């Protein structure tokens, strides 16, 4: 491994200061991944991280997974790792958090740098694979460090504090955008649940009891099948209650029960009277039709007055 920051001052850099201070230098590479390291710098630390990530990549390759390609954007503000097609930022490593950068002299396609994570405060080693630009990328990061250091000396350290504040604001903006997206999803879920509840309860709520029809006198017609409803009439008054039939037997002035020819039975008469009624029923005959002879009819004339 070789440190990129040990380049001699009398040698010229590869890029103009304006390209790194006002813009960025893009590179394409394959991203082997990142892993946590115990120290912020050191050749042995980087070598162990490269060996670990290479082994993990071989396992994924045997499973049919390809090494993802990324785009690196290097400037005096840091190194951004983006998805090449969508330009989505996967990692944003600020320059003041990068503590070590090196390329592998035994494998010229590999280059790495160590950066302190802003959230966990852990040191992570990022490993990349570039067939032709590994050394060039390492030198470009070294040039960005050199320009950033000069700018720091010229501004008296104020520029670094400003960048830290800007970085903190950018991080806060990203957190707010994430919270906003989560809240939108929750609101959408609640709206969907409310819509489902309304659909499931609407048929039952739409069924209203049908009021019975009334006649011209605003009276509910009597039905012998269904009991009389207590639904109020159209004028808002309740119909009069139906008098209930009393089971108590009423008696007359002398204390006798009233005669009901429909309810009397065979056992209601004394034995002597009942026997005479039975004889009368046996003697009953059908009606007889008599023939009248016209010749023997008596001619009765009216009497003269």
């Amino acid at each position: 491994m070789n440190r990129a920051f040990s380049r001699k001052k009398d040698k010229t850099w590869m890029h103009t200061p304006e390209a790194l201070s006002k813009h960025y230098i893009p590179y394409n590479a394959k991203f082997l991944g990142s892993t946590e390291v115990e120290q912020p710098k050191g050749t042995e630390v980087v070598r162990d991280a490269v060996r670990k990530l290479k082994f993990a990549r071989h396992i994924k390759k045997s499973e049919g997974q390809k090494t993802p390609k990324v785009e690196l954007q290097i400037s005096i503000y840091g190194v951004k790792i983006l998805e090449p097609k969508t330009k989505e930022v996967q990692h944003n490593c600020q320059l003041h958090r990068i503590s070590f950068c090196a390329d592998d002299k035994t494998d010229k396609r590999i280059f790495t740098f160590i950066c302190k994570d802003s959230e966990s405060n852990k040191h992570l080693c990022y490993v990349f694979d570039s067939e032709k630009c590994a050394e060039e990328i390492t030198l470009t990061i070294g040039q960005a460090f050199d320009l950033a250091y000069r700018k720091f000396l010229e501004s008296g350290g104020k520029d670094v504090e400003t960048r830290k504040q800007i970085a903190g604001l950018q991080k806060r903006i990203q957190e707010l955008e994430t919270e906003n997206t989560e809240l939108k999803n929750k609101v959408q879920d609640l709206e969907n649940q409310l819509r489902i509840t309304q659909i499931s309860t609407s048929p039952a709520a739409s069924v209203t009891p049908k009021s019975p029809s009334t006649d011209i006198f605003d009276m509910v017609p009597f039905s012998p099948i269904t009991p009389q409803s207590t639904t109020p009439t159209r004028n808002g008054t309740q119909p009069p209650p139906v008098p209930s039939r009393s089971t108590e037997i009423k008696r007359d002035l002398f204390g006798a029960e009233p005669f009901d020819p429909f309810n009397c039975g065979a056992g209601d008469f004394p034995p002597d009277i009942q026997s005479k009624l039975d004889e009368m029923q046996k003697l009953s005959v059908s009606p007889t039709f008599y023939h009248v002879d016209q010749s023997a009819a008596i001619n009765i004339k009216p009497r003269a007055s």
Side-chain angles (χ1 to χ4, degrees), residues 275-296:
S275 62
K276 291 183 179 295
L277 290 175
D278 295 339
E279 293 178 359
M280 292 176 63
Q281 187 175 5
K282 292 179 181 179
L283 294 175
S284 64
V285 295
S286 60
T288 305
F289 297 92
Y290 297 93
H291 177 72
V292 179
D293 189 2
Q294 293 182 358
S295 62

Side-chain angles (χ1 to χ4, degrees), residues 250-261:
K250 297 182 179 180
R251 300 178 182 273
D252 57 8
L253 182 62
F254 299 98
E257 298 180 0
F259 174 73
D260 189 354

Side-chain angles (χ1 to χ4, degrees), residues 36 97 115-124 126 171:
E36 183 182 355
R97 291 184 175 275
C115 180
K116 188 176 183 180
D117 186 65
S118 59
E119 296 181 357
S120 61
N121 287 329
K122 296 180 180 179
H123 293 91
L124 302 178
Y126 295 82
K171 180 181 177 181

Side-chain angles (χ1 to χ4, degrees), residues 47-48 80 86 139 160 163 167 180 227 233 252 268-269 280 287:
R47 184 180 288 110
D48 293 339
K80 289 184 179 180
T86 62
L139 294 176
V160 176
R163 288 204 303 270
N180 189 24
T233 58
D252 57 8
D268 295 335
F269 299 99
M280 292 176 63

